Amino acid sequence: MRRWQPAPVADRRSRVLADWVGHVGSPDFGQAVLDGMQDLLPAASWSVYRVGAAPRLFLSASRGVPDTTHDCWRAYLSGPHRRDRSLPTGAAAARAPLLCHLTAGEVSAEHRAKVYEAHGMAERISVAEAQADGTVFAVNFYRHGHQRAFTDTALDDFGALALPLLALVRRHTVLAAQLPAGPPAAGFDARLQQVCPALTVRERAVCVRLLQGMTQDGIAADLALAVPTVKTYRNRAFARLGIHSRHELHARLA
């Protein structure tokens, strides 16, 4: 039998990757990825989303700036996503993931105004993969206006980590979907069922997120619904509960 200590990880990319692996499936995975990327690619925010049929924002985090990711997502879905030519499309694109680097000046005027300029973003590097069903799964890192432009070395580092990061993100989304709802969400949902059994699943889902402090835009992105639909569920739930505000919702469950 032989025993010995593993060699310390000297390469920066390997150290970052090892740290990410340790956070897969945990609630802090999104922030851990962004924080770990800083020495290689100093981005202020990142996101993971699917566009095409049933668009969905899976992950996001920000560092040193307000987290407006859900607002950006809603703005992107308001029209710019239909004309976003930076993401892979078509049967040929499904053969392998693709890297894409662009600056705010290279996107359409609508995209630039609604997403980049409105939220202070200046540059994006992505790894995206077209799926057989026509959707696109994308991992994106954003430089904001107060930061220096990404260097060629930083882009090379991202390229070297892109495929393992894509695999880790995919695994994390699967694990996160399998985790049972924990407090306070589960507690809120159970209490809502007890207080008002007439509430539908969607009405409870909206109320739970209101109780967790989410905005209507955030709820819409989280549940893959339109904002007016969220408002409809909220209004119906409030009517069933006999209340008129988020404050009264909290009081009703006290």
Side-chain angles (χ1 to χ4, degrees), residues 17 34 40 47 91 100 127 202 214 228 240:
L17 187 57
L34 183 60
L40 303 175
S47 67
C100 176
V127 56
R202 279 299 197 188
M214 293 179 65
R240 295 186 199 276

Side-chain angles (χ1 to χ4, degrees), residues 61-219:
S62 295
R63 179 186 171 100
V65 297
D67 190 352
T68 60
T69 313
H70 284 86
D71 294 331
C72 291
W73 178 240
R74 296 306 309 174
Y76 182 63
L77 292 184
S78 71
H81 72 291
R82 299 188 185 93
R83 290 170 288 281
D84 188 354
R85 300 293 179 262
S86 67
L87 298 177
T89 58
R95 288 197 294 260
L98 293 176
L99 294 170
C100 176
H101 171 241
L102 55 79
T103 62
E106 296 177 281
V107 299
S108 69
E110 180 190 26
H111 194 167
R112 183 167 59 251
K114 288 185 174 181
V115 179
Y116 284 81
E117 293 176 350
H119 299 97
M121 299 189 302
E123 191 174 3
R124 188 190 93 204
I125 177 70
S126 305
V127 56
E129 186 174 32
Q131 308 299 297
D133 62 0
T135 62
V136 177
F137 187 84
V139 176
N140 317 276
F141 288 82
Y142 304 92
R143 174 178 69 86
H144 288 235
H146 67 284
Q147 298 177 293
R148 293 182 179 179
F150 293 150
T151 65
D152 288 343
T153 299
L155 297 178
D156 287 343
D157 283 334
F158 177 82
L161 287 170
L163 291 182
L165 176 57
L166 186 63
L168 289 175
V169 167
R170 285 195 170 282
R171 183 58 180 162
H172 174 79
T173 58
V174 171
L175 290 175
Q178 293 174 347
L179 290 175
F188 284 146
D189 188 67
R191 181 67 177 136
L192 283 164
Q193 290 185 66
Q194 182 182 37
V195 168
C196 185
L199 290 171
T200 68
V201 172
R202 279 299 197 188
E203 288 166 359
R204 292 201 312 271
V206 169
C207 285
V208 165
R209 285 156 178 77
L210 289 172
L211 289 162
Q212 291 177 313
M214 293 179 65
T215 65
Q216 291 182 51
D217 283 349
I219 295 170

